[in-house]
Amino acid sequence: MMPAELFIPTDSPEAAAPMAEALTFRYDVDGENFTSAGQASVQVKKNLRQLGFDPETIRRVSIAMYEGEINMVIHAGGGTAEVTVEDGCIEIILSDTGPGIANIEQAMQEGFSTAPDNIRSLGFGAGMGLPNMKRYTDYMHIDSVVGEGTTITMKVNY
Amino acid sequence: MTINTIKDLLGAEVLCGSESLGKDVHSACGSDMMSDVLAYVKDQAVLLTGLVNAQVIRTAEMMDMLCIVFVRSKKPSQDMLDLAEESGIAVMTTPMRMYDACGTLYSNGLTGSGSTNG
Ligand SMILES: Nc1ncnc2c1ncn2[C@@H]1O[C@H](COP(=O)(O)OP(=O)(O)O)[C@@H](O)[C@H]1O
Ligand SMILES: [Mg+2]
């Protein structure tokens, strides 16, 4: 779970400008297990706190990523998450090899959901995830091919 | 209102995070749909819910909430309590139903928006 490199060594030349070089966290999101869904987002939240980001930025990144992580688990059988801290923005890339999204415009509408009833009894499937991801981020792009998978890229400026 | 006052008003049992009972909270929300909590909640520090699974704890963590109240005497698993503990979230359980628990807190000054509570 823990990214291999969280801290830039203090004796490195980058230490004076810690954001000069991009810092990336990668996670596998297990599609078999609803209980563990969201672990990666919780970890990212902790990492961003340690890096000293302001609470509002942390909240926006972690909510958007959490919604996306839940989607990968309930709609796509899992996937991978990559979070990169760049100078001025945090980029989140969520990739899966699930069924893909046939109609992205429809999927982006508030309340649209194909989630089965058992997902609703677990507290999700209100069709608010994708619109929420858009609302909490400064940039969002969905790349999806039916039968191949979905990659969602989001950016939060700070 | 402090988290301790919530506990007293609801006749609740604290399951973890008793060290934060003295913390002040200004608004609350009640929902069994975590989707709705993630989409509509803003700055509410307390979540009342009848849903019991790990995503309740993670949702509260994502929203920077301070306290979760399970209604109808529902009890989370030890794994869920460990998650809450790690995130510094106080967890309690009350025998009250959702409507009564929310009404009790509301009528004692803990509203949904925090606007009438200093
Ligand atoms: N990663 C994904 N893979 C395939 N389909 C997806 C994915 N994410 C979202 N969808 C589709 O878009 C719909 C809307 O997503 P969302 O707004 O998060 O609502 P919900 O997850 O509550 O159904 C989903 O019901 C599903 O059909
Ligand atoms: Mg969703």
Side-chain angles (χ1 to χ4, degrees), chain A residues 61-84:
Chain A
V61 169
S62 54
I63 292 174
M65 175 167 170
Y66 181 59
E67 292 275 19
E69 202 185 339
I70 294 278
N71 275 356
M72 289 201 296
V73 174
I74 64 182
H75 302 298
T80 61
E82 204 174 281
V83 178
T84 305

Side-chain angles (χ1 to χ4, degrees), chain B residues 9 20 27 39 52 74 79-80 90 92:
Chain B
L9 287 170
S20 33
S27 63
V52 186
K74 296 201 172 183
D79 284 353
M80 290 176 60
M92 56 181 92

